[in-house]
């Protein structure tokens, strides 16, 4: 049977057995996957995703205050009482180094938590594109399937995630010439060809890019459009996100 290359839009609710034997890349360019890559690149110890703010707060109580930060947004704004929102600019080395970050975002964390059961789950964005492509190449060498989950916005298709997915798949498409591509996987490659030449322009023109600019987060769009700022791949395993290759503390 040939290897599968599938793209899904929105949190993909497949049974865990469907994810087995596949590397899953979860993309939320604006802004969760960009922000998580930035946090880990700046020395955060781990990120633990939660679907609800209440769950994050409940878990927060089990940590020593000096080692943990609460982060997350609703309608793009920082959740009241939290240390950080979801802006990559906030996750500086001074703020996050050595910390465990308990995080909840509207779409990104839910998309991540929906794919449990995969052989490997990583987070991709433009800021860590080449590092993520290296993970895909490794998966292909090991004849694993590839699934890309584009988190989207409010369960809708989001152009920024699709173009990023297309860019990643285009980088490995020659090695996957005999693979079975779903229609969404073929479509994102075409979208990257059409819209990927000016990434920042593309992001600024998306629904969420415009909403972020209106909400005062224009700088985040520029940060999210920058290619390969961080040579890091966030991996989600055992309920936490840590950088690929770093030994996991329990
Ligand atoms: C999300 O997870 O929905 C986003 O990252 C929203 C945002 O903060 O821009």
């Amino acid at each position: 049977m040939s290897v599968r290359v599938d793209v899904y839009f929105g949190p993909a609710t497949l049974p865990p057995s469907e994810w087995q034997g596949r590397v899953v890349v979860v993309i939320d360019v604006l802004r969760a996957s960009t922000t998580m890559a930035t946090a880990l690149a700046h020395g955060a110890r781990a990120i633990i995703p939660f679907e609800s703010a209440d769950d994050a707060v409940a878990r927060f109580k089990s940590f020593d205050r000096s080692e943990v930060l609460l982060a997350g947004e609703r309608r793009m704004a920082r959740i009241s009482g939290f240390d950080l929102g979801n802006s990559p600019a906030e996750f500086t080395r001074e703020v996050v180094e050595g910390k465990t970050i308990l995080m909840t975002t509207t779409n990104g964390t839910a998309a991540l938590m929906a794919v449990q059961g995969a052989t490997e789950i990583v987070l991709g964005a433009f800021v860590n594109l080449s590092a993520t492509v290296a993970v895909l190449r490794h998966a292909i060498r090991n004849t694993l399937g590839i699934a890309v989950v584009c988190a989207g916005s409010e369960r809708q298709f989001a152009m920024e995630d699709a173009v990023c997915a297309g860019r990643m798949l285009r980088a490995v498409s020659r090695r996957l010439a005999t693979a079975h591509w779903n229609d969404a996987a073929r479509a994102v490659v075409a979208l990257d060809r059409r819209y990927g030449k000016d990434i920042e322009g593309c992001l600024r023109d998306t629904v969420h890019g415009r909403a972020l600019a209106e909400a005062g987060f224009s700088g985040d769009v520029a940060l999210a459009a920058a290619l390969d700022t961080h040579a890091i791949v966030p991996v989600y395993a055992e309920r936490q996100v840590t950088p690929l290759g770093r030994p996991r503390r329990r």
Side-chain angles (χ1 to χ4, degrees):
M1 214 172 64
S2 68
V3 163
R4 277 168 61 187
V5 183
D6 293 326
V7 169
Y8 303 96
F9 300 120
T13 48
L14 301 183
S17 56
E18 274 288 306
W19 299 116
Q20 277 164 23
R22 302 213 256 174
V23 170
V24 179
V25 183
V26 176
I27 300 179
D28 184 4
V29 169
L30 295 173
R31 298 169 285 174
S33 57
T34 298
T35 299
M36 290 192 198
T38 304
L40 294 177
H42 289 163
R45 196 185 75 71
I47 300 162
I48 306 180
F50 293 90
E51 286 206 54
S52 78
D54 287 349
D55 289 350
V57 169
R59 184 64 190 279
F60 175 77
K61 293 177 182 146
S62 67
F63 281 87
D64 186 308
R65 182 65 180 104
S66 64
E67 59 184 27
V68 69
L69 292 169
L70 274 172
E73 58 69 43
R74 287 297 177 265
R75 295 178 192 278
M76 297 171 283
R78 184 201 306 179
I79 296 168
S80 162
F82 277 33
D83 302 300
L84 300 165
N86 186 27
S87 171
E90 294 174 279
F91 291 68
T92 59
R93 185 167 291 282
E94 294 66 36
V95 173
V96 303
E97 190 161 36
K99 306 280 187 185
T100 295
I101 301 173
L102 311 183
M103 187 158 189
T104 178
T105 70
T106 312
N107 306 282
T109 51
L112 189 59
M113 293 170 75
V115 297
Q116 297 188 51
T119 299
E120 184 156 51
I121 303 167
V122 301
L123 280 139
F126 288 110
V127 294
N128 70 338
L129 193 122
S130 293
T132 308
V133 167
V135 169
L136 295 182
R137 292 203 172 108
H138 188 257
I140 295 162
R141 278 197 297 277
N142 289 300
T143 58
L144 291 171
I146 291 171
V148 185
V149 175
C150 298
S153 195
E154 307 292 344
R155 299 190 174 263
Q156 300 292 314
F157 174 92
M159 181 67 99
E160 63 275 14
D161 297 339
V163 171
C164 185
R167 183 82 160 229
M168 285 174 191
L169 291 181
R170 199 142 70 94
V172 292
S173 61
R174 265 200 282 156
R175 295 165 199 242
L176 290 169
T178 59
H180 180 275
W181 293 57
N182 76 354
D183 286 349
R186 291 163 55 200
V188 295
V189 168
L191 286 173
D192 173 51
R193 285 209 174 88
R194 170 71 178 78
Y195 295 103
K197 290 183 186 73
D198 170 14
I199 298 170
E200 185 169 344
C202 170
L203 265 52
R204 290 207 177 280
D205 205 26
T206 64
V207 172
H208 198 51
R210 276 182 271 138
L212 282 167
E214 272 165 34
F217 296 112
S218 181
D220 287 359
V221 180
L223 288 175
L227 259 184
D228 291 332
T229 314
H230 307 300
I232 198 164
V233 182
V235 185
Y236 181 49
E238 298 169 30
R239 282 287 295 120
Q240 53 179 300
V241 182
T242 53
L244 182 67
R246 187 199 287 168
R248 199 170 282 273
R249 252 207 272 160
R250 283 168 200 275

